[in-house]
Each structure stands twice: as structure tokens, then as C-alpha cells.
Coordinates of all heavy atoms in Angstrom, one line a residue:
M1 N 58.8 -18.1 308.1 CA 58.6 -16.6 308.4 C 59.8 -16.2 309.1 O 60.4 -16.8 309.9 CB 57.4 -16.7 309.5 CG 57.2 -15.2 310.1 SD 55.9 -15.1 311.2 CE 56.4 -16.2 312.6
F2 N 60.2 -15.0 308.6 CA 61.4 -14.4 309.2 C 61.0 -13.4 310.3 O 60.0 -12.6 310.2 CB 62.2 -13.6 308.2 CG 63.1 -14.5 307.4 CD1 62.6 -14.9 306.1 CD2 64.3 -15.0 307.8 CE1 63.4 -15.6 305.2 CE2 65.1 -15.8 306.9 CZ 64.5 -16.2 305.7
V3 N 61.7 -13.3 311.5 CA 61.5 -12.2 312.4 C 62.7 -11.3 312.2 O 63.9 -11.8 312.2 CB 61.5 -12.8 313.8 CG1 61.5 -11.7 314.8 CG2 60.4 -13.8 314.0
V4 N 62.4 -10.0 311.8 CA 63.5 -9.2 311.3 C 63.5 -7.9 312.2 O 62.5 -7.3 312.5 CB 63.1 -8.8 309.9 CG1 64.2 -7.8 309.3 CG2 63.0 -10.0 309.0
R5 N 64.7 -7.4 312.6 CA 64.9 -6.2 313.2 C 65.0 -5.2 312.1 O 65.9 -5.5 311.1 CB 66.0 -6.2 314.1 CG 65.9 -7.0 315.4 CD 67.0 -6.8 316.3 NE 66.9 -7.7 317.4 CZ 66.4 -7.3 318.6 NH1 66.0 -6.1 318.7 NH2 66.3 -8.2 319.6
V6 N 64.3 -4.1 312.2 CA 64.4 -3.1 311.1 C 64.6 -1.7 311.7 O 63.9 -1.3 312.6 CB 63.1 -3.0 310.3 CG1 63.1 -2.0 309.1 CG2 62.9 -4.4 309.7
V7 N 65.5 -1.0 311.1 CA 65.7 0.5 311.4 C 64.8 1.4 310.5 O 65.2 1.3 309.3 CB 67.2 0.9 311.4 CG1 67.4 2.4 311.6 CG2 68.0 0.0 312.3
L8 N 63.8 2.0 311.0 CA 63.0 2.8 310.0 C 63.5 4.2 310.0 O 63.2 4.9 308.9 CB 61.6 2.8 310.6 CG 60.9 1.3 310.7 CD1 59.6 1.4 311.3 CD2 60.7 0.8 309.2
G9 N 64.1 4.8 311.0 CA 64.5 6.2 310.9 C 63.3 7.1 310.8 O 62.3 6.9 311.5
N10 N 63.5 8.1 310.0 CA 62.3 9.2 309.8 C 61.4 8.5 308.7 O 61.7 8.3 307.7 CB 62.9 10.5 309.3 CG 61.8 11.6 309.3 OD1 60.7 11.4 309.8 ND2 62.1 12.6 308.6
V11 N 60.1 8.1 309.3 CA 59.1 7.4 308.6 C 58.2 8.3 307.9 O 57.6 9.1 308.5 CB 58.5 6.3 309.4 CG1 57.5 5.5 308.5 CG2 59.4 5.4 310.1
F12 N 58.0 8.0 306.4 CA 56.7 8.7 305.8 C 55.7 7.8 305.9 O 55.7 6.7 305.5 CB 57.1 9.0 304.4 CG 56.1 9.6 303.6 CD1 55.6 10.9 303.9 CD2 55.4 8.8 302.7 CE1 54.5 11.4 303.1 CE2 54.2 9.4 301.9 CZ 53.9 10.6 302.1
V13 N 54.5 8.3 306.5 CA 53.3 7.6 306.6 C 52.3 7.8 305.4 O 52.0 9.0 305.2 CB 52.6 7.9 308.0 CG1 51.3 7.1 308.1 CG2 53.4 7.6 309.2
C14 N 52.1 6.8 304.7 CA 51.3 7.0 303.5 C 50.0 6.3 303.7 O 49.9 5.1 304.0 CB 52.1 6.3 302.3 SG 51.4 6.5 300.7
R15 N 48.8 7.0 303.4 CA 47.5 6.5 303.7 C 46.8 6.2 302.5 O 45.6 6.0 302.6 CB 46.8 7.6 304.5 CG 47.3 7.6 306.0 CD 46.5 8.5 306.9 NE 46.9 8.4 308.3 CZ 48.0 9.0 308.8 NH1 48.7 9.9 308.1 NH2 48.4 8.9 310.0
K16 N 47.5 6.4 301.3 CA 46.8 6.0 300.1 C 47.7 5.1 299.3 O 48.9 5.4 299.3 CB 46.2 7.2 299.2 CG 47.4 8.2 298.9 CD 46.7 9.4 298.2 CE 47.9 10.3 297.8 NZ 47.5 11.6 297.2
P17 N 47.3 4.3 298.5 CA 48.1 3.4 297.6 C 49.1 4.2 296.8 O 48.5 5.1 295.8 CB 47.2 2.6 296.7 CG 45.9 2.5 297.5 CD 45.8 3.9 298.2
T18 N 50.3 4.1 296.9 CA 51.3 4.9 296.2 C 52.5 4.0 296.0 O 52.9 3.2 296.9 CB 51.8 6.1 297.0 OG1 50.6 6.9 297.3 CG2 52.7 7.0 296.1
Q19 N 53.1 4.1 294.9 CA 54.4 3.3 294.7 C 55.6 4.3 294.6 O 55.8 5.3 294.0 CB 54.4 2.6 293.4 CG 53.3 1.5 293.3 CD 53.4 0.7 292.0 OE1 54.0 1.2 291.0 NE2 52.8 -0.4 291.9
F20 N 56.5 4.0 295.6 CA 57.7 4.8 295.7 C 58.9 3.9 295.3 O 59.1 2.8 295.8 CB 58.0 5.2 297.2 CG 57.0 6.3 297.6 CD1 56.1 6.0 298.5 CD2 57.0 7.5 297.1 CE1 55.2 6.9 299.0 CE2 56.1 8.7 297.4 CZ 55.1 8.3 298.5
R21 N 59.8 4.4 294.4 CA 61.0 3.7 294.1 C 62.1 3.9 295.2 O 63.0 3.2 295.1 CB 61.5 4.2 292.7 CG 60.6 3.7 291.6 CD 61.1 4.3 290.3 NE 60.5 5.6 290.3 CZ 61.2 6.6 289.7 NH1 62.3 6.4 288.9 NH2 60.8 7.9 289.8
K22 N 62.0 5.0 295.8 CA 62.9 5.3 297.1 C 62.0 6.1 298.0 O 61.0 6.7 297.5 CB 64.1 5.9 296.5 CG 64.0 7.3 296.0 CD 65.2 7.9 295.6 CE 65.1 9.4 295.2 NZ 66.3 10.0 294.9
P23 N 62.5 6.4 299.2 CA 61.6 7.2 300.2 C 61.4 8.6 299.5 O 62.4 9.2 298.8 CB 62.5 7.3 301.4 CG 63.4 6.1 301.3 CD 63.6 5.9 299.8
P24 N 60.3 9.2 299.8 CA 59.9 10.4 299.4 C 60.7 11.7 300.0 O 61.3 11.4 301.1 CB 58.4 10.7 299.5 CG 58.1 9.8 300.7 CD 59.2 8.6 300.5
C25 N 60.8 12.8 299.4 CA 61.4 14.0 300.1 C 60.6 14.4 301.2 O 59.4 14.1 301.3 CB 61.5 15.1 299.0 SG 60.0 16.0 298.7
T26 N 61.2 15.2 302.1 CA 60.5 15.7 303.3 C 59.8 17.1 303.0 O 59.3 17.8 303.9 CB 61.3 15.8 304.4 OG1 62.5 16.7 304.1 CG2 61.9 14.5 304.8
G27 N 59.7 17.6 301.8 CA 59.0 18.8 301.4 C 57.6 18.7 301.9 O 56.9 17.7 301.6
A28 N 57.1 19.8 302.5 CA 55.8 19.7 303.1 C 54.6 19.2 302.3 O 53.9 18.4 302.8 CB 55.4 21.2 303.6
K29 N 54.4 19.6 301.1 CA 53.3 19.1 300.3 C 53.9 18.5 299.0 O 53.1 18.2 298.1 CB 52.3 20.2 299.9 CG 51.6 20.8 301.1 CD 50.6 21.8 300.8 CE 49.9 22.3 302.1 NZ 48.8 23.2 301.8
C30 N 55.1 18.1 298.9 CA 55.7 17.6 297.7 C 55.6 16.0 297.9 O 55.0 15.3 297.2 CB 57.1 18.0 297.6 SG 58.0 17.4 296.2
H31 N 56.5 15.5 298.7 CA 56.5 14.0 299.0 C 56.8 13.2 297.7 O 56.0 12.2 297.5 CB 55.4 13.5 299.8 CG 55.3 14.2 301.2 ND1 56.3 14.3 302.0 CD2 54.2 14.8 301.7 CE1 56.0 15.0 303.1 NE2 54.7 15.2 302.9
R32 N 57.7 13.6 296.9 CA 57.9 12.8 295.6 C 59.1 12.1 295.8 O 60.1 12.6 296.3 CB 58.0 13.8 294.4 CG 56.6 14.4 294.1 CD 56.9 15.5 293.0 NE 57.6 15.0 291.9 CZ 57.9 15.6 290.9 NH1 57.5 16.8 290.7 NH2 58.7 15.1 289.9
D33 N 59.3 10.8 295.2 CA 60.5 10.1 295.3 C 61.5 10.5 294.3 O 62.7 10.2 294.3 CB 60.3 8.7 295.1 CG 59.7 8.2 293.8 OD1 59.4 9.1 293.0 OD2 59.5 6.9 293.7
D34 N 61.2 11.4 293.3 CA 62.0 11.8 292.3 C 62.3 13.4 292.4 O 62.7 14.0 291.5 CB 61.6 11.6 290.9 CG 60.2 12.2 290.6 OD1 59.6 12.6 291.5 OD2 59.8 12.1 289.4
C35 N 62.0 13.9 293.6 CA 62.2 15.4 293.9 C 63.6 15.8 293.7 O 64.5 15.1 294.3 CB 61.6 15.8 295.2 SG 61.8 17.5 295.6
M36 N 63.9 16.9 293.0 CA 65.1 17.4 292.8 C 65.4 18.8 293.6 O 66.5 19.3 293.6 CB 65.5 17.7 291.3 CG 65.4 16.4 290.5 SD 66.6 15.2 291.0 CE 68.0 15.8 290.1
D37 N 64.3 19.2 294.3 CA 64.4 20.5 295.0 C 65.3 20.4 296.2 O 65.0 19.6 297.2 CB 63.0 21.0 295.4 CG 62.9 22.4 295.9 OD1 63.9 22.8 296.5 OD2 61.8 23.0 295.8
Q38 N 66.4 21.1 296.2 CA 67.3 21.0 297.4 C 66.7 21.5 298.7 O 67.2 20.9 299.8 CB 68.6 21.8 297.1 CG 69.4 21.3 295.9 CD 70.0 19.9 296.3 OE1 70.5 19.7 297.4 NE2 70.1 19.0 295.2
A39 N 65.7 22.3 298.7 CA 65.0 22.8 299.8 C 64.3 21.7 300.5 O 63.8 21.8 301.7 CB 64.2 24.0 299.6
H40 N 63.9 20.7 299.8 CA 63.1 19.5 300.4 C 64.0 18.4 300.9 O 63.5 17.4 301.3 CB 62.3 18.9 299.3 CG 61.2 19.9 298.8 ND1 60.3 19.6 297.8 CD2 60.8 21.1 299.3 CE1 59.4 20.6 297.6 NE2 59.8 21.6 298.4
Q41 N 65.3 18.6 301.0 CA 66.1 17.6 301.5 C 66.1 17.6 303.1 O 65.8 18.6 303.7 CB 67.6 17.8 301.1 CG 67.7 17.8 299.6 CD 67.5 16.5 298.8 OE1 67.9 15.5 299.5 NE2 67.1 16.6 297.7
P42 N 66.3 16.6 303.7 CA 66.6 15.3 303.3 C 65.5 14.4 302.9 O 64.3 14.8 303.2 CB 67.4 14.6 304.4 CG 66.7 15.2 305.6 CD 66.4 16.5 305.2
F43 N 65.7 13.2 302.4 CA 64.6 12.4 302.1 C 64.2 11.5 303.3 O 65.0 11.4 304.3 CB 65.0 11.3 301.0 CG 64.9 12.0 299.6 CD1 66.0 12.8 299.2 CD2 63.9 11.8 298.7 CE1 66.0 13.4 298.0 CE2 63.9 12.5 297.4 CZ 65.0 13.2 297.1
F44 N 62.9 11.0 303.4 CA 62.7 10.1 304.5 C 63.5 8.9 304.4 O 64.1 8.6 303.3 CB 61.2 9.7 304.4 CG 60.2 10.8 304.8 CD1 59.7 11.7 304.0 CD2 59.8 10.9 306.2 CE1 58.8 12.7 304.3 CE2 59.0 12.0 306.6 CZ 58.5 12.8 305.7
H45 N 63.6 8.1 305.4 CA 64.4 6.8 305.4 C 63.6 5.7 305.1 O 64.1 4.5 304.7 CB 65.0 6.6 306.8 CG 65.9 7.8 307.2 ND1 65.7 8.6 308.3 CD2 67.1 8.2 306.6 CE1 66.6 9.5 308.3 NE2 67.4 9.3 307.4
S46 N 62.2 5.7 305.4 CA 61.4 4.4 305.1 C 59.9 4.9 304.9 O 59.6 6.2 305.0 CB 61.4 3.5 306.2 OG 60.9 4.1 307.4
V47 N 59.1 4.0 304.6 CA 57.6 4.4 304.3 C 56.7 3.4 305.0 O 57.1 2.1 305.0 CB 57.3 4.3 302.8 CG1 55.8 4.4 302.5 CG2 58.2 5.2 302.0
L48 N 55.7 3.8 305.7 CA 54.7 3.0 306.3 C 53.4 3.2 305.6 O 52.9 4.4 305.5 CB 54.5 3.5 307.8 CG 53.3 2.9 308.5 CD1 53.3 1.5 308.5 CD2 53.2 3.5 310.0
G49 N 53.0 2.2 305.0 CA 51.7 2.2 304.2 C 50.7 1.6 305.1 O 50.8 0.6 305.7
T50 N 49.5 2.4 305.2 CA 48.4 1.9 306.0 C 47.2 1.9 305.1 O 47.0 2.6 304.2 CB 48.2 2.9 307.1 OG1 47.7 4.1 306.6 CG2 49.4 3.1 308.1
H51 N 46.4 0.9 305.4 CA 45.2 0.6 304.6 C 44.1 0.1 305.5 O 44.4 -0.9 306.1 CB 45.5 -0.3 303.5 CG 44.3 -0.6 302.6 ND1 43.6 0.1 301.8 CD2 43.6 -2.0 302.6 CE1 42.6 -0.5 301.3 NE2 42.5 -1.7 301.7
K52 N 42.9 0.8 305.5 CA 41.8 0.2 306.2 C 41.0 -0.7 305.3 O 40.8 -0.3 304.0 CB 40.9 1.3 306.7 CG 41.5 2.1 307.9 CD 40.4 3.2 308.3 CE 41.1 4.0 309.5 NZ 40.2 5.0 309.9
S53 N 40.7 -2.0 305.7 CA 39.8 -2.8 304.9 C 38.5 -2.4 305.0 O 38.1 -1.5 305.7 CB 40.1 -4.2 305.4 OG 39.4 -4.3 306.6
D54 N 37.6 -3.1 304.3 CA 36.2 -2.9 304.3 C 35.8 -3.1 305.8 O 34.6 -2.5 306.2 CB 35.4 -3.7 303.4 CG 35.8 -3.3 301.9 OD1 36.1 -2.1 301.7 OD2 35.7 -4.1 301.0
D55 N 36.3 -4.1 306.4 CA 36.1 -4.3 307.8 C 36.8 -3.3 308.7 O 37.9 -3.3 308.7 CB 36.4 -5.7 308.2 CG 36.1 -6.0 309.6 OD1 35.8 -5.2 310.5 OD2 36.1 -7.2 310.0
V56 N 36.0 -2.2 309.2 CA 36.8 -1.1 309.9 C 37.6 -1.5 311.1 O 38.3 -0.7 311.6 CB 35.8 -0.1 310.2 CG1 35.1 0.7 309.0 CG2 34.7 -0.5 311.2
R57 N 37.5 -2.8 311.5 CA 38.2 -3.2 312.6 C 39.6 -3.6 312.2 O 40.5 -3.7 313.1 CB 37.6 -4.5 313.3 CG 36.2 -4.2 313.8 CD 35.5 -5.4 314.3 NE 35.3 -6.2 313.2 CZ 34.8 -7.4 313.3 NH1 34.5 -8.0 314.4 NH2 34.6 -8.1 312.1
L58 N 39.8 -3.7 310.9 CA 41.2 -4.1 310.5 C 41.9 -3.0 309.8 O 41.4 -2.2 309.0 CB 41.1 -5.3 309.5 CG 40.4 -6.6 310.0 CD1 40.2 -7.6 308.8 CD2 41.2 -7.2 311.1
I59 N 43.2 -2.8 310.3 CA 44.0 -1.8 309.5 C 45.3 -2.6 309.2 O 46.0 -3.1 310.1 CB 44.3 -0.6 310.5 CG1 43.1 0.1 310.8 CG2 45.3 0.3 309.8 CD1 43.2 1.2 311.9
F60 N 45.6 -2.6 308.0 CA 46.8 -3.3 307.5 C 48.0 -2.2 307.4 O 47.8 -1.0 307.1 CB 46.7 -3.9 306.2 CG 45.6 -4.9 306.1 CD1 44.3 -4.6 305.5 CD2 45.9 -6.1 306.6 CE1 43.4 -5.5 305.6 CE2 44.9 -7.2 306.5 CZ 43.6 -6.8 306.1
R61 N 49.2 -2.7 307.8 CA 50.3 -1.8 307.9 C 51.4 -2.4 307.2 O 51.7 -3.7 307.5 CB 50.7 -1.4 309.3 CG 49.7 -0.7 310.1 CD 50.1 0.0 311.3 NE 50.9 -1.0 312.2 CZ 51.7 -0.5 313.2 NH1 51.8 0.8 313.4 NH2 52.2 -1.5 313.9
E62 N 52.1 -1.8 306.3 CA 53.2 -2.4 305.6 C 54.4 -1.4 305.7 O 54.4 -0.2 305.4 CB 52.8 -2.5 304.0 CG 54.0 -3.0 303.3 CD 53.6 -3.3 301.8 OE1 52.6 -2.6 301.4 OE2 54.2 -4.1 301.1
F63 N 55.6 -1.9 306.3 CA 56.8 -1.2 306.5 C 57.7 -1.5 305.3 O 58.0 -2.6 305.0 CB 57.4 -1.5 307.8 CG 56.6 -1.2 308.9 CD1 55.6 -2.1 309.5 CD2 56.7 0.0 309.6 CE1 54.9 -1.9 310.6 CE2 56.0 0.2 310.7 CZ 55.1 -0.5 311.3
V64 N 58.1 -0.4 304.7 CA 59.0 -0.4 303.5 C 60.4 0.3 303.7 O 60.3 1.3 304.1 CB 58.4 0.1 302.3 CG1 59.4 -0.2 301.0 CG2 57.1 -0.6 302.1
V65 N 61.4 -0.5 303.6 CA 62.8 0.1 303.7 C 63.5 -0.1 302.3 O 63.1 -1.0 301.6 CB 63.7 -0.5 304.8 CG1 63.1 -0.1 306.2 CG2 63.9 -2.0 304.6
Y66 N 64.4 0.7 301.9 CA 65.0 0.7 300.6 C 66.4 0.4 300.7 O 67.0 0.3 299.5 CB 64.7 2.2 300.0 CG 63.2 2.4 299.8 CD1 62.6 2.9 300.8 CD2 62.6 2.0 298.6 CE1 61.1 3.1 300.6 CE2 61.2 2.2 298.5 CZ 60.5 2.8 299.5 OH 59.2 3.0 299.3
E67 N 67.1 0.2 301.8 CA 68.5 -0.1 301.9 C 68.5 -1.4 302.6 O 68.0 -1.5 303.8 CB 69.2 1.0 302.7 CG 69.2 2.3 302.0 CD 70.1 2.3 300.7 OE1 71.0 1.5 300.5 OE2 69.7 3.2 299.9
K68 N 69.2 -2.4 302.1 CA 69.3 -3.7 302.8 C 70.0 -3.6 304.2 O 69.7 -4.4 305.1 CB 69.9 -4.8 302.0 CG 71.4 -4.5 301.6 CD 71.9 -5.5 300.6 CE 73.3 -5.2 300.2 NZ 73.7 -6.3 299.2
S69 N 70.8 -2.6 304.4 CA 71.4 -2.4 305.6 C 70.4 -2.1 306.8 O 70.8 -2.0 308.0 CB 72.6 -1.4 305.6 OG 72.1 -0.2 305.3
Q70 N 69.1 -1.6 306.4 CA 68.2 -1.3 307.4 C 67.5 -2.5 308.0 O 66.7 -2.3 308.9 CB 67.2 -0.3 306.8 CG 67.7 1.1 306.4 CD 66.6 1.9 305.8 OE1 66.6 2.0 304.5 NE2 65.7 2.5 306.6
A71 N 67.6 -3.7 307.5 CA 66.9 -4.8 307.9 C 67.9 -5.9 308.3 O 68.9 -6.3 307.5 CB 65.9 -5.3 306.9
Y72 N 67.7 -6.6 309.4 CA 68.5 -7.7 309.8 C 67.6 -8.9 310.3 O 66.9 -8.9 311.2 CB 69.3 -7.4 311.1 CG 70.1 -8.4 311.7 CD1 71.3 -8.9 311.0 CD2 69.8 -9.1 312.8 CE1 72.0 -9.9 311.6 CE2 70.5 -10.2 313.4 CZ 71.6 -10.5 312.7 OH 72.4 -11.6 313.2
P73 N 67.7 -10.0 309.4 CA 66.9 -11.2 309.7 C 67.4 -11.8 310.9 O 68.5 -12.5 310.7 CB 66.9 -11.9 308.4 CG 68.2 -11.6 307.7 CD 68.4 -10.1 308.2
E74 N 66.7 -11.7 312.0 CA 67.2 -12.4 313.3 C 66.8 -13.8 313.5 O 67.7 -14.6 313.9 CB 66.8 -11.5 314.4 CG 67.5 -11.9 315.7 CD 67.3 -10.8 316.8 OE1 66.3 -10.0 316.7 OE2 68.0 -10.7 317.7
F75 N 65.6 -14.2 313.1 CA 65.2 -15.5 313.3 C 64.4 -16.1 312.1 O 63.7 -15.3 311.3 CB 64.3 -15.7 314.5 CG 64.9 -15.3 315.8 CD1 64.6 -14.2 316.4 CD2 65.7 -16.2 316.5 CE1 65.2 -13.8 317.6 CE2 66.3 -15.9 317.6 CZ 66.0 -14.6 318.3
L76 N 64.6 -17.3 311.7 CA 63.8 -18.1 310.7 C 62.9 -18.9 311.6 O 63.3 -19.9 312.3 CB 64.6 -18.8 309.7 CG 63.8 -19.8 308.8 CD1 62.8 -18.9 307.9 CD2 64.7 -20.5 308.0
V77 N 61.5 -18.8 311.5 CA 60.6 -19.5 312.3 C 59.9 -20.5 311.3 O 59.3 -19.9 310.3 CB 59.5 -18.6 313.1 CG1 58.6 -19.5 313.8 CG2 60.3 -17.7 313.9
E78 N 60.0 -21.7 311.4 CA 59.3 -22.8 310.6 C 58.0 -23.1 311.3 O 58.0 -23.5 312.5 CB 60.2 -24.0 310.4 CG 61.5 -23.6 309.5 CD 62.3 -24.8 309.2 OE1 61.7 -25.9 309.0 OE2 63.5 -24.7 309.2
Y79 N 57.0 -23.2 310.6 CA 55.7 -23.6 311.2 C 54.8 -24.2 310.0 O 55.1 -24.1 308.9 CB 55.0 -22.4 311.8 CG 54.5 -21.3 310.8 CD1 53.0 -21.3 310.4 CD2 55.3 -20.4 310.3 CE1 52.7 -20.3 309.5 CE2 54.9 -19.4 309.5 CZ 53.6 -19.4 309.1 OH 53.1 -18.5 308.2
E80 N 53.8 -24.9 310.5 CA 52.9 -25.5 309.5 C 51.5 -25.0 309.9 O 51.1 -24.9 311.1 CB 52.8 -27.0 309.7 CG 54.2 -27.6 309.1 CD 54.0 -29.2 309.1 OE1 52.9 -29.8 309.1 OE2 55.1 -29.8 309.1
R81 N 50.7 -24.6 308.9 CA 49.4 -24.2 309.1 C 48.4 -25.5 309.3 O 48.6 -26.5 308.6 CB 48.8 -23.3 308.1 CG 49.4 -22.1 308.0 CD 48.8 -21.2 306.9 NE 49.4 -19.9 306.8 CZ 48.9 -19.0 306.2 NH1 47.7 -19.1 305.4 NH2 49.5 -17.7 306.2
Q82 N 47.5 -25.4 310.3 CA 46.5 -26.6 310.4 C 45.1 -26.1 310.2 O 44.9 -24.9 310.5 CB 46.7 -27.1 311.8 CG 48.0 -27.7 312.1 CD 48.1 -28.4 313.5 OE1 47.2 -28.1 314.2 NE2 49.2 -29.2 313.7
Q83 N 44.4 -26.9 309.4 CA 43.1 -26.4 309.1 C 42.1 -26.7 310.3 O 42.3 -27.5 311.0 CB 42.5 -27.3 307.9 CG 43.3 -27.0 306.7 CD 43.0 -25.8 305.9 OE1 41.8 -25.3 306.0 NE2 43.9 -25.2 305.3
Ligands
LIG101 ZN1 60.1 17.6 297.1

């Protein structure tokens, strides 16, 4: 397992399953990753995907960055799972 320091910047929070090839634009109701509208600039820096499982006590969060310079792997932690 890697422990990673990540710079998220301006984060787009996504609450439904969506695939972005790059962060979406900041246009109020647009939020497309292929937006060409100059009025919607700049783009977000990262995406936070949230998903509630069937068990309402669990909320999964996935942080996505699109530039390798935004993430620094600080530690490699080796461990073994025990049954
Ligand atoms: Zn847009």
C-alpha cells in the first residue's frame, strides 16, 4: 500500500458514476471534460467521486488526479492480511 500526498486544488465533487478523461470545466451546469466554451474556463484540478453503498452507513470516496505531478508517493507500507 502506498501512502501518497496529493494536491487536489479545485475539486469537482461527482455524486453519480461518470468517466472523465480530464477534469471537467467549471461552467455552472456544463461540467464536461471536452468543453470548448472559453467562458467555462478554467477546468477543475481533480475529481472526487462519492458513492453510497446499499448499506447507508458506508460512503465510498475516490480521489482522481490527472497530472502525475499532483501525487507524491511518500511511503510504501508492506503488510499481510490475516484471516
Ligand atoms: Zn463547459
Side-chain angles (χ1 to χ4, degrees):
M1 167 176 66
F2 285 98
V3 177
V4 180
R5 289 186 185 265
V6 178
V7 177
L8 296 174
N10 190 10
V11 182
F12 176 68
V13 179
C14 185
R15 291 185 170 81
K16 59 183 180 182
T18 308
Q19 292 185 346
F20 291 111
R21 288 172 288 148
K22 64 180 190 177
C25 75
T26 55
K29 294 188 177 183
C30 183
H31 300 312
R32 293 175 44 181
D33 64 356
D34 60 349
C35 179
M36 300 295 281
D37 190 330
Q38 295 293 322
H40 295 178
Q41 304 289 330
F43 286 78
F44 286 93
H45 300 117
S46 60
V47 174
L48 167 59
T50 63
H51 172 71
K52 288 184 181 177
S53 73
D54 294 335
D55 181 345
V56 294
R57 295 172 297 174
L58 298 176
I59 298 175
F60 298 100
R61 299 192 311 165
E62 182 177 19
F63 296 89
V64 182
V65 293
Y66 296 84
E67 299 290 336
K68 62 183 177 184
S69 61
Q70 289 178 261
Y72 176 75
E74 191 164 18
F75 297 103
L76 170 60
V77 179
E78 295 184 34
Y79 68 99
E80 291 183 24
R81 290 186 179 189
Q82 295 182 347
Q83 298 280 334

